[in-house]
Amino acid sequence: MLRPKLPDTPHVPSITTHIPQDHAPAPSASRSVAPFVGVGAGAVAAVVVVGVVLTALLAAVAVSAVSVAIAAVVLRSLITGANRR
């Protein structure tokens, strides 16, 4: 009584794809991806090199700042000690 009526499913014929043997492949299929891989590897290498250089510069600045701070503390103690004598 309250059953829905489902539509009849049409018969779908089977589709067979045939690729002729004398047909050349598409131009995009014959292109190599090697140049794109080379560009990607070069970009990654450049980013790594820039990161290493920037890290080395930051480390050099930090070492210089620490050495200047130590020198300032030593000079201050020498000047303070000379004024007391």
Side-chain angles (χ1 to χ4, degrees):
M1 181 171 136
L2 296 175
R3 291 185 182 176
K5 183 176 181 186
L6 299 176
D8 295 333
T9 57
H11 176 66
V12 178
S14 64
I15 299 173
T16 306
T17 56
H18 174 68
I19 301 173
Q21 297 297 327
D22 61 339
H23 188 319
S28 63
S30 65
R31 289 176 52 184
S32 174
V33 260
F36 300 113
V37 171
V39 170
V44 169
V47 168
V48 168
V49 168
V50 169
V52 168
V53 169
L54 289 177
T55 304
L57 287 173
L58 181 63
V61 168
V63 168
S64 299
V66 168
S67 64
V68 167
I70 291 172
V73 169
V74 169
L75 285 175
R76 183 177 174 191
S77 74
L78 287 175
I79 292 173
T80 306
N83 287 340
R84 288 185 189 168
R85 294 181 198 171

